[in-house]
mmCIF file of all heavy atoms in Angstrom:
data_model
loop_
_atom_site.group_PDB
_atom_site.id
_atom_site.type_symbol
_atom_site.label_atom_id
_atom_site.label_comp_id
_atom_site.label_asym_id
_atom_site.label_seq_id
_atom_site.Cartn_x
_atom_site.Cartn_y
_atom_site.Cartn_z
ATOM 1 N N PRO A 364 106.962 84.479 91.983
ATOM 2 C CA PRO A 364 106.686 83.037 92.118
ATOM 3 C C PRO A 364 105.751 82.774 93.289
ATOM 4 O O PRO A 364 105.812 83.430 94.330
ATOM 5 C CB PRO A 364 108.075 82.439 92.369
ATOM 6 C CG PRO A 364 109.029 83.436 91.802
ATOM 7 C CD PRO A 364 108.402 84.775 92.013
ATOM 8 N N ALA A 365 104.861 81.823 93.107
ATOM 9 C CA ALA A 365 103.899 81.489 94.156
ATOM 10 C C ALA A 365 103.524 80.026 94.032
ATOM 11 O O ALA A 365 103.712 79.389 92.972
ATOM 12 C CB ALA A 365 102.655 82.375 94.045
ATOM 13 N N ARG A 366 102.982 79.487 95.118
ATOM 14 C CA ARG A 366 102.545 78.092 95.093
ATOM 15 C C ARG A 366 101.231 77.949 94.338
ATOM 16 O O ARG A 366 100.958 76.911 93.738
ATOM 17 C CB ARG A 366 102.381 77.584 96.519
ATOM 18 C CG ARG A 366 103.682 77.445 97.288
ATOM 19 C CD ARG A 366 103.446 76.842 98.659
ATOM 20 N NE ARG A 366 104.698 76.642 99.383
ATOM 21 C CZ ARG A 366 104.775 76.115 100.596
ATOM 22 N NH1 ARG A 366 103.640 75.739 101.221
ATOM 23 N NH2 ARG A 366 105.943 75.971 101.189
ATOM 24 N N ARG A 367 100.404 78.984 94.391
ATOM 25 C CA ARG A 367 99.127 78.962 93.694
ATOM 26 C C ARG A 367 99.062 80.145 92.751
ATOM 27 O O ARG A 367 99.664 81.182 92.978
ATOM 28 C CB ARG A 367 97.965 79.007 94.679
ATOM 29 C CG ARG A 367 97.895 77.807 95.625
ATOM 30 C CD ARG A 367 96.721 77.930 96.572
ATOM 31 N NE ARG A 367 96.638 76.789 97.481
ATOM 32 C CZ ARG A 367 95.713 76.650 98.416
ATOM 33 N NH1 ARG A 367 94.772 77.594 98.561
ATOM 34 N NH2 ARG A 367 95.713 75.585 99.194
ATOM 35 N N GLY A 368 98.286 79.983 91.696
ATOM 36 C CA GLY A 368 98.153 81.038 90.722
ATOM 37 C C GLY A 368 98.240 80.502 89.312
ATOM 38 O O GLY A 368 98.122 79.285 89.068
ATOM 39 N N ASP A 369 98.446 81.406 88.367
ATOM 40 C CA ASP A 369 98.567 81.015 86.966
ATOM 41 C C ASP A 369 99.890 80.294 86.729
ATOM 42 O O ASP A 369 100.890 80.524 87.424
ATOM 43 C CB ASP A 369 98.480 82.248 86.068
ATOM 44 C CG ASP A 369 97.151 82.963 86.209
ATOM 45 O OD1 ASP A 369 96.154 82.292 86.548
ATOM 46 O OD2 ASP A 369 97.103 84.191 86.010
ATOM 47 N N VAL A 370 99.887 79.431 85.716
ATOM 48 C CA VAL A 370 101.108 78.718 85.341
ATOM 49 C C VAL A 370 102.097 79.709 84.726
ATOM 50 O O VAL A 370 101.734 80.529 83.865
ATOM 51 C CB VAL A 370 100.799 77.581 84.362
ATOM 52 C CG1 VAL A 370 102.084 76.916 83.873
ATOM 53 C CG2 VAL A 370 99.886 76.557 85.018
ATOM 54 N N ASP A 371 103.341 79.638 85.194
ATOM 55 C CA ASP A 371 104.414 80.478 84.644
ATOM 56 C C ASP A 371 105.096 79.693 83.528
ATOM 57 O O ASP A 371 105.901 78.791 83.791
ATOM 58 C CB ASP A 371 105.418 80.817 85.757
ATOM 59 C CG ASP A 371 106.458 81.826 85.301
ATOM 60 O OD1 ASP A 371 106.599 82.015 84.078
ATOM 61 O OD2 ASP A 371 107.123 82.412 86.173
ATOM 62 N N PRO A 372 104.792 79.997 82.262
ATOM 63 C CA PRO A 372 105.324 79.166 81.160
ATOM 64 C C PRO A 372 106.849 79.229 81.049
ATOM 65 O O PRO A 372 107.487 78.219 80.767
ATOM 66 C CB PRO A 372 104.637 79.734 79.921
ATOM 67 C CG PRO A 372 104.203 81.109 80.313
ATOM 68 C CD PRO A 372 103.928 81.066 81.761
ATOM 69 N N ARG A 373 107.445 80.375 81.284
ATOM 70 C CA ARG A 373 108.893 80.498 81.119
ATOM 71 C C ARG A 373 109.622 79.667 82.169
ATOM 72 O O ARG A 373 110.549 78.914 81.831
ATOM 73 C CB ARG A 373 109.313 81.959 81.221
ATOM 74 C CG ARG A 373 108.804 82.825 80.077
ATOM 75 C CD ARG A 373 109.333 84.241 80.188
ATOM 76 N NE ARG A 373 108.889 85.064 79.070
ATOM 77 C CZ ARG A 373 109.219 86.341 78.916
ATOM 78 N NH1 ARG A 373 109.997 86.945 79.813
ATOM 79 N NH2 ARG A 373 108.781 87.013 77.877
ATOM 80 N N ARG A 374 109.250 79.799 83.421
ATOM 81 C CA ARG A 374 109.919 79.036 84.467
ATOM 82 C C ARG A 374 109.639 77.547 84.329
ATOM 83 O O ARG A 374 110.490 76.708 84.629
ATOM 84 C CB ARG A 374 109.478 79.533 85.839
ATOM 85 C CG ARG A 374 109.946 80.943 86.141
ATOM 86 C CD ARG A 374 109.466 81.424 87.499
ATOM 87 N NE ARG A 374 109.969 80.594 88.574
ATOM 88 C CZ ARG A 374 109.212 79.960 89.450
ATOM 89 N NH1 ARG A 374 107.885 80.043 89.362
ATOM 90 N NH2 ARG A 374 109.756 79.235 90.416
ATOM 91 N N THR A 375 108.430 77.210 83.862
ATOM 92 C CA THR A 375 108.110 75.797 83.658
ATOM 93 C C THR A 375 108.954 75.185 82.546
ATOM 94 O O THR A 375 109.485 74.076 82.685
ATOM 95 C CB THR A 375 106.609 75.638 83.337
ATOM 96 O OG1 THR A 375 105.833 76.178 84.414
ATOM 97 C CG2 THR A 375 106.255 74.180 83.133
ATOM 98 N N VAL A 376 109.102 75.917 81.430
ATOM 99 C CA VAL A 376 109.921 75.412 80.314
ATOM 100 C C VAL A 376 111.381 75.304 80.736
ATOM 101 O O VAL A 376 112.076 74.335 80.396
ATOM 102 C CB VAL A 376 109.757 76.325 79.088
ATOM 103 C CG1 VAL A 376 110.777 75.964 78.009
ATOM 104 C CG2 VAL A 376 108.351 76.199 78.526
ATOM 105 N N ARG A 377 111.890 76.305 81.483
ATOM 106 C CA ARG A 377 113.281 76.226 81.937
ATOM 107 C C ARG A 377 113.496 75.015 82.842
ATOM 108 O O ARG A 377 114.540 74.359 82.792
ATOM 109 C CB ARG A 377 113.658 77.515 82.673
ATOM 110 C CG ARG A 377 113.899 78.696 81.751
ATOM 111 C CD ARG A 377 114.681 79.791 82.452
ATOM 112 N NE ARG A 377 113.944 80.345 83.572
ATOM 113 C CZ ARG A 377 113.159 81.420 83.506
ATOM 114 N NH1 ARG A 377 113.018 82.053 82.338
ATOM 115 N NH2 ARG A 377 112.539 81.869 84.561
ATOM 116 N N GLU A 378 112.498 74.691 83.666
ATOM 117 C CA GLU A 378 112.605 73.520 84.538
ATOM 118 C C GLU A 378 112.611 72.238 83.714
ATOM 119 O O GLU A 378 113.363 71.288 84.022
ATOM 120 C CB GLU A 378 111.443 73.521 85.527
ATOM 121 C CG GLU A 378 111.456 72.392 86.531
ATOM 122 C CD GLU A 378 112.597 72.509 87.525
ATOM 123 O OE1 GLU A 378 113.222 73.590 87.614
ATOM 124 O OE2 GLU A 378 112.870 71.512 88.217
ATOM 125 N N LEU A 379 111.813 72.197 82.651
ATOM 126 C CA LEU A 379 111.809 71.026 81.775
ATOM 127 C C LEU A 379 113.155 70.846 81.083
ATOM 128 O O LEU A 379 113.682 69.734 80.974
ATOM 129 C CB LEU A 379 110.687 71.155 80.741
ATOM 130 C CG LEU A 379 109.254 70.985 81.249
ATOM 131 C CD1 LEU A 379 108.255 71.347 80.155
ATOM 132 C CD2 LEU A 379 109.008 69.552 81.718
ATOM 133 N N LEU A 380 113.725 71.964 80.609
ATOM 134 C CA LEU A 380 115.024 71.884 79.942
ATOM 135 C C LEU A 380 116.113 71.444 80.907
ATOM 136 O O LEU A 380 117.030 70.695 80.551
ATOM 137 C CB LEU A 380 115.379 73.235 79.325
ATOM 138 C CG LEU A 380 114.490 73.690 78.159
ATOM 139 C CD1 LEU A 380 114.875 75.095 77.703
ATOM 140 C CD2 LEU A 380 114.608 72.714 76.990
ATOM 141 N N ARG A 381 116.009 71.922 82.148
ATOM 142 C CA ARG A 381 117.018 71.539 83.138
ATOM 143 C C ARG A 381 116.961 70.049 83.436
ATOM 144 O O ARG A 381 117.979 69.414 83.734
ATOM 145 C CB ARG A 381 116.795 72.349 84.410
ATOM 146 C CG ARG A 381 117.915 72.200 85.442
ATOM 147 C CD ARG A 381 117.662 73.097 86.634
ATOM 148 N NE ARG A 381 116.502 72.641 87.396
ATOM 149 C CZ ARG A 381 116.550 71.701 88.337
ATOM 150 N NH1 ARG A 381 117.693 71.074 88.605
ATOM 151 N NH2 ARG A 381 115.460 71.361 88.990
ATOM 152 N N ARG A 382 115.770 69.473 83.346
ATOM 153 C CA ARG A 382 115.599 68.040 83.602
ATOM 154 C C ARG A 382 115.740 67.192 82.344
ATOM 155 O O ARG A 382 115.456 65.998 82.376
ATOM 156 C CB ARG A 382 114.230 67.794 84.229
ATOM 157 C CG ARG A 382 114.081 68.369 85.639
ATOM 158 C CD ARG A 382 112.670 68.192 86.132
ATOM 159 N NE ARG A 382 112.531 68.607 87.516
ATOM 160 C CZ ARG A 382 112.660 67.802 88.565
ATOM 161 N NH1 ARG A 382 112.949 66.523 88.375
ATOM 162 N NH2 ARG A 382 112.515 68.254 89.785
ATOM 163 N N GLY A 384 113.947 67.326 79.558
ATOM 164 C CA GLY A 384 112.674 66.974 78.975
ATOM 165 C C GLY A 384 111.815 66.070 79.815
ATOM 166 O O GLY A 384 110.686 65.739 79.413
ATOM 167 N N GLU A 385 112.311 65.640 80.971
ATOM 168 C CA GLU A 385 111.519 64.796 81.844
ATOM 169 C C GLU A 385 110.380 65.618 82.467
ATOM 170 O O GLU A 385 110.488 66.831 82.621
ATOM 171 C CB GLU A 385 112.402 64.219 82.953
ATOM 172 C CG GLU A 385 113.460 63.247 82.468
ATOM 173 C CD GLU A 385 112.848 61.977 81.927
ATOM 174 O OE1 GLU A 385 111.765 61.583 82.425
ATOM 175 O OE2 GLU A 385 113.434 61.365 81.006
ATOM 176 N N PRO A 386 109.264 64.965 82.810
ATOM 177 C CA PRO A 386 108.155 65.703 83.438
ATOM 178 C C PRO A 386 108.629 66.442 84.692
ATOM 179 O O PRO A 386 109.410 65.910 85.494
ATOM 180 C CB PRO A 386 107.146 64.602 83.781
ATOM 181 C CG PRO A 386 107.462 63.501 82.815
ATOM 182 C CD PRO A 386 108.949 63.537 82.601
ATOM 183 N N ALA A 387 108.189 67.634 84.822
ATOM 184 C CA ALA A 387 108.588 68.477 85.951
ATOM 185 C C ALA A 387 107.353 69.110 86.554
ATOM 186 O O ALA A 387 106.257 69.122 85.963
ATOM 187 C CB ALA A 387 109.573 69.561 85.505
ATOM 188 N N ARG A 388 107.545 69.641 87.712
ATOM 189 C CA ARG A 388 106.453 70.291 88.414
ATOM 190 C C ARG A 388 106.136 71.636 87.760
ATOM 191 O O ARG A 388 107.045 72.386 87.397
ATOM 192 C CB ARG A 388 106.861 70.515 89.872
ATOM 193 C CG ARG A 388 105.774 71.076 90.751
ATOM 194 C CD ARG A 388 106.282 71.175 92.175
ATOM 195 N NE ARG A 388 105.266 71.689 93.069
ATOM 196 C CZ ARG A 388 105.464 71.873 94.365
ATOM 197 N NH1 ARG A 388 106.639 71.568 94.914
ATOM 198 N NH2 ARG A 388 104.497 72.341 95.121
ATOM 199 N N LEU A 389 104.852 71.919 87.599
ATOM 200 C CA LEU A 389 104.456 73.191 87.015
ATOM 201 C C LEU A 389 104.834 74.344 87.940
ATOM 202 O O LEU A 389 104.579 74.302 89.143
ATOM 203 C CB LEU A 389 102.946 73.215 86.752
ATOM 204 C CG LEU A 389 102.420 72.267 85.665
ATOM 205 C CD1 LEU A 389 100.901 72.378 85.579
ATOM 206 C CD2 LEU A 389 103.047 72.565 84.320
ATOM 207 N N ARG A 390 105.448 75.361 87.366
ATOM 208 C CA ARG A 390 105.795 76.562 88.119
ATOM 209 C C ARG A 390 104.686 77.596 87.963
ATOM 210 O O ARG A 390 104.151 77.780 86.864
ATOM 211 C CB ARG A 390 107.128 77.141 87.633
ATOM 212 C CG ARG A 390 108.289 76.164 87.739
ATOM 213 C CD ARG A 390 108.547 75.788 89.176
ATOM 214 N NE ARG A 390 109.619 74.803 89.311
ATOM 215 C CZ ARG A 390 110.051 74.343 90.472
ATOM 216 N NH1 ARG A 390 109.481 74.769 91.592
ATOM 217 N NH2 ARG A 390 111.015 73.463 90.509
ATOM 218 N N ARG A 391 104.357 78.250 89.051
ATOM 219 C CA ARG A 391 103.251 79.210 89.028
ATOM 220 C C ARG A 391 103.720 80.572 89.525
ATOM 221 O O ARG A 391 104.753 80.692 90.191
ATOM 222 C CB ARG A 391 102.090 78.708 89.888
ATOM 223 C CG ARG A 391 101.528 77.370 89.414
ATOM 224 C CD ARG A 391 100.356 76.895 90.249
ATOM 225 N NE ARG A 391 99.860 75.615 89.779
ATOM 226 C CZ ARG A 391 98.957 75.484 88.807
ATOM 227 N NH1 ARG A 391 98.441 76.572 88.222
ATOM 228 N NH2 ARG A 391 98.562 74.285 88.417
ATOM 229 N N HIS A 392 102.927 81.584 89.189
ATOM 230 C CA HIS A 392 103.217 82.941 89.651
ATOM 231 C C HIS A 392 101.915 83.697 89.881
ATOM 232 O O HIS A 392 100.833 83.255 89.456
ATOM 233 C CB HIS A 392 104.122 83.694 88.669
ATOM 234 C CG HIS A 392 103.551 83.819 87.281
ATOM 235 N ND1 HIS A 392 104.257 84.299 86.218
ATOM 236 C CD2 HIS A 392 102.327 83.512 86.767
ATOM 237 C CE1 HIS A 392 103.503 84.295 85.126
ATOM 238 N NE2 HIS A 392 102.327 83.825 85.442
#
Side-chain angles (χ1 to χ4, degrees):
R366 292 184 177 181
R367 297 180 180 179
D369 299 333
V370 175
D371 187 343
R373 293 184 178 181
R374 293 179 61 237
T375 301
V376 170
R377 284 198 297 267
E378 182 68 14
L379 288 171
L380 293 176
R381 189 177 68 85
R382 293 175 174 268
E385 294 293 329
R388 185 177 181 180
L389 293 178
R390 302 297 177 178
R391 300 181 181 274
H392 59 189

